[in-house]
Structure formats: C-alpha cells, structure tokens
Amino acid sequence: MQTEQTTNHQKPWQDPLMAHVSGFRTGTDDLSYHIDASQIRGKIPETLQGIFLRNGPARNELAGKKFGHWFDGDGCVHTFRIENGAVDYRCSFVKTPKYVDETEAQQVRYRSYGHNAPGGFFRNLHMPANAANTSIVYHGGKLLTLFEGGLPWRLDLDTLATIGPEDFDGALKGMDTFSAHGKLHPRTGDYFNFGMGGGLKGPQLSLYQIDQQGKMARRGNVAIDSMAFCHDNAMTENYLVFMVMPVTFGSLFKVITARDTIDNNMAFRAELGMKVYVVALEDFSLVRTFEVEPFMYAHSSNCWEKDGELFIDVVAMNDEDAEVGTAFSRNLFSQPRPATGAMRRFRFNLNTGASSTEALPCAVPCEFPQWDMRRTGQESRFIYTAGICENETPGFYNAIQRIDLLRGEASAYDCGPARYTSEPIFVPRSPDADEGDGYILAVIYDANTKLSELLILDATNLDEEIASVPLRNHIPHGFHCGFTALP
Ligand SMILES: [Fe+2]
C-alpha cells in the first residue's frame, strides 16, 4: 500500500478534498470548434440529436483576486450541438454590464452576493449585479440565461452572441425578477416562471406565463408572509407549488448600509415557519397554503396530483447544511463539500389540508434533481441527481445518481478520482420512448487533465458509459443545463 505522501506526490493535487478547486479557474471566452466521431470515446447513438445547453459562473476572480462567492461568477454559456455522431461545441460569456465593465476596469465594480463593491454605502445601493450565471432555457425561439436577481439575458442560439436583457415586450419591468427555475408545461408548451419581490404591495411572488411563441401571456402575483429565499418551485397539471423556506437577512440594516455582504448576512430562521403556497395555473389564484416543519432546500424534482393530493419530491439538505453560513455561504474556493441533501417526498391534501412527508431512496448525498421532463406534472418513476460518493476525492460532486421510485432503489455512478460532475440531465431515446429509456448527459471536469468532457451514460444502467466527448478547454464548475431539439 502506498503511503499518503507517495500517493499525493503522484497526483496532480495535494489535498484529495480540494482536488476540484482547479475547476473554478476562469474559462475561455468565445470558443467554437468541431469534435468528430474519431475523437469521441465510444459512439454517440444516431438517436441522440439535439443541443445540450449549459450555464454557470466561469470567471470567479479578477486581476488575481477571487470573488466572494461561487454565485458571483460571470455566466458563460456552452452549447454542444450533437448531430450525426459528432459535436459542434461553442461557448461565450454573457456580455452583461457587470462582465463588460469589470473586464474593462479589471477590478470589481458591482455588488454581488458574496462581495460588496468598493466605495461603501453609495456604491452598494442595489441588488447583486446580474451575472446571468445560473440556468438556461430555450423556449419560444429564445435562448435565455436565468439569474433570479434580475431579468433573463438573451443570446443567439447559433452564435451565442449576447442580444441583451429580455423583458418580453415590456412585460417585465426594471425591478422584476425572474427565477432560475421556470417549468415547461409538457401538454400546453407554455413556460411558467416566477420572481420574488417586495415593494409597496409587500412581499409577493410575481408569476409569469409565457406562450409557445415566447410572448408573455399572463402575469399575476400572490402575497406571501415575508421576503424569503425561494429558488425553485414545482408544477403539476393544474398548479404551481412554492415551498418558501425561512431564509432571510439576519440584519437588513447591515446589508443596506453595506456593512455586511449579502451571503454573510443570510440566516435560517426556523421561528418564522415554512409555508407552502399552491397556486392555480389557470388564473394564478392562491388555492391553499400548508405549513411544514422548516428545512433548507434549493431544488425540487417532479410534482403531480393524484386523488386530491399533491406529491412533491425535493432535495432536503442535511441538518449540518441547514444553518446558513454552511449551505449557501460556504466558500467552495477554500472549503470542500458543497451543499447536499437527501430526497424527500411531501404530500399535501388539497381537500383536507393534511400533509405528510417521507424519505425516498437515496444512494449518495445529492443535489440538482432531474427527471424525464415529458412527465412534468405527472407521476414519474425516476429521479437523477448529482451527488458525492466516497471515492478518493469526495470534496465536490463526483457521482451521478439514479433513483427508481417504483423499485425503491437508488444507485450511483462514480465519476472517478478527481473527476467531477455538474447537473445530469435526462434525454429520451426517442420522443415516444418509455419513461427512463434514454441517456444521461453531464459535463465532467477532470482535475487530472484540467479539461472537461461531455459524458453520455445509458439512463437505464448508469454503469454503461456510451460515449465521452473530449473538449480542448475546461468548463468551470457550474449550475444548470438544458437540452433542445435541433432547429
Ligand atoms: Fe438552481
């Protein structure tokens, strides 16, 4: 057996828990190149055609000085156009004012989640600058980056040129927000999103319905008890479900006066309770509320109605992550193990007001739940997540999990030493394939080579690696992905 010292000497990292950190280094802007079949490990199936979309922070520092938080990094969009067994890869930073101005100045000019702008009170009288870095969707002919603190930013799908902020013909105003987690209704093709807001009307959820042509078809709002953190929601055939957890500012005064950064001031305040708001899709009216034991979460999986009950599956964060200061405020540039949790199901009876919760099968601590999006709003069998398995380098998401709710089983694919995944997404083998019959696509960052690849697994058996598409560059650790058919 090798000694630890010998092992470390042979590895491209010193600390196994921090081997992922090189994946935070700044990515390259405006790349475009072709990867033909001979360069691909394995073979991309003929039935897999489309564009894999990926967004995430790709510049986490300026002039050698790290930003305060992973959430602050400037967004960069990556597309993999998969056609006839080959791939056209492209990437581009979103040219927001934050990116453009700070690139020119080579210093921080804007307040962000984890750091304030230099200059004190008057330079920080605004929300965190829009970094366009969180999620991505192609809907209604528009490629949109999503950042919950501001408007979506639109890019050209073919060139990734930045078009600008998207306000849907003026339907979104300057102070409106638009979450990172809209939901596509599979039966109507409409896209629903929301924003958390305040103002004279008090705390509220702004609700948006965007039709298949990319037009704002309806706006609405629902009053909520207090300004709180609500990153995701869920959608059934007829309802939107918001589980608003009690994460808010510890001292709003300190934030407003720039005596504190936002992340440093966020607090999990269980005494405020946690309310669930059920909203009708047809008119955005509030249907019913429920109270649950407060817990911390960022992302939900699928949600559906059955016999008067709503079922919603979420990643409930581990207790040790339920204190802010560890979950969303952890400095991953210098600390290992991003937030993870376990899958948990909630049931809400719309007739009686009763609710209950139960644990779901889970093989690894997990995050970024995904499902077969054709089943959104209907009972579904499979959940796919990123996770952390106990391999040599468990400091970051290093596993892809598949949960079979029918069989009550969960299994995980180990990405390998110093190899890390981002959100895995499911793509069906064909439009009418059975649920779960298809592929898992995920960007892998390999700290051994300091390069990234697009990994394609068989969704019916995660041990079956179908193909891996190598890149000449790295994609910094990011957040959310998407997939769209070839135009
Ligand atoms: Fe998210």
Side-chain angles (χ1 to χ4, degrees), residues 144-385:
L144 301 176
T145 63
L146 307 176
F147 178 82
E148 66 192 33
L151 300 186
W153 272 64
R154 184 176 173 188
L155 281 71
D156 183 282
L157 179 64
D158 292 329
T159 66
L160 293 187
T162 299
I163 296 171
E166 174 63 37
D167 64 4
F168 300 97
D169 298 322
L172 294 181
K173 309 300 181 190
M175 291 296 287
D176 280 330
T177 59
F178 197 89
S179 89
H181 289 287
K183 298 286 182 286
L184 179 68
H185 197 296
R187 264 76 60 200
T188 68
D190 285 355
Y191 176 76
F192 293 84
N193 206 316
F194 71 98
M196 183 69 78
L200 295 175
K201 293 180 180 175
Q204 62 176 12
L205 293 163
S206 297
L207 306 167
Y208 316 117
Q209 179 178 356
I210 296 150
D211 66 21
Q212 292 181 61
Q213 285 70 48
K215 303 287 187 187
M216 184 74 75
R218 180 186 295 127
R219 277 198 62 152
N221 61 275
V222 166
I224 55 175
D225 287 351
S226 61
M227 275 293 286
F229 185 81
C230 186
H231 178 69
D232 198 356
N233 69 336
M235 185 173 71
T236 73
E237 181 70 27
N238 297 296
Y239 304 107
L240 294 172
V241 183
F242 297 90
M243 302 183 76
V244 182
M245 61 183 172
V247 170
T248 184
F249 293 121
S251 166
L252 188 59
F253 175 77
K254 283 188 175 179
V255 173
I256 290 174
T257 55
R259 295 182 185 191
D260 218 346
T261 60
I262 293 170
D263 79 313
N264 201 38
N265 204 261
M266 297 285 274
F268 182 77
R269 298 174 58 187
E271 73 276 11
L272 296 178
M274 184 161 172
K275 194 174 269 189
V276 181
Y277 299 80
V278 180
V279 177
L281 281 179
E282 63 174 2
D283 60 3
F284 288 153
S285 63
L286 180 63
V287 174
R288 188 147 201 167
T289 62
F290 298 84
E291 301 258 358
V292 297
E293 195 68 28
F295 70 100
M296 194 144 182
Y297 92 110
H299 298 114
S300 57
S301 183
N302 202 8
C303 183
W304 61 88
E305 308 157 35
K306 189 177 179 183
D307 300 329
E309 276 192 298
L310 298 182
F311 294 72
I312 176 171
D313 298 342
V314 307
V315 175
M317 287 185 183
N318 300 330
D319 288 345
E320 60 266 33
D321 282 338
E323 299 172 26
V324 172
T326 59
F328 299 134
S329 297
R330 182 175 300 152
N331 186 343
L332 294 173
F333 308 140
S334 58
Q335 293 174 283
R337 288 191 176 270
T340 54
M343 291 306 307
R344 176 159 286 277
R345 171 166 296 172
F346 287 85
R347 297 171 63 157
F348 300 108
N349 191 309
L350 288 171
N351 298 316
T352 66
S355 65
S356 62
T357 183
E358 62 182 315
L360 295 178
C362 228
V364 289
C366 61
E367 244 298 10
F368 301 117
Q370 286 287 300
W371 63 98
D372 185 335
M373 295 289 170
R374 297 171 302 169
R375 304 287 303 174
T376 296
Q378 301 177 49
E379 184 170 3
S380 55
R381 174 176 172 180
F382 300 106
I383 299 171
Y384 313 96
T385 77

Side-chain angles (χ1 to χ4, degrees), residues 7-22:
T7 302
N8 284 345
H9 181 71
Q10 294 175 340
K11 309 287 188 190
W13 62 86
Q14 294 298 311
D15 180 352
L17 282 178
M18 299 303 292
H20 62 281
V21 167
S22 62

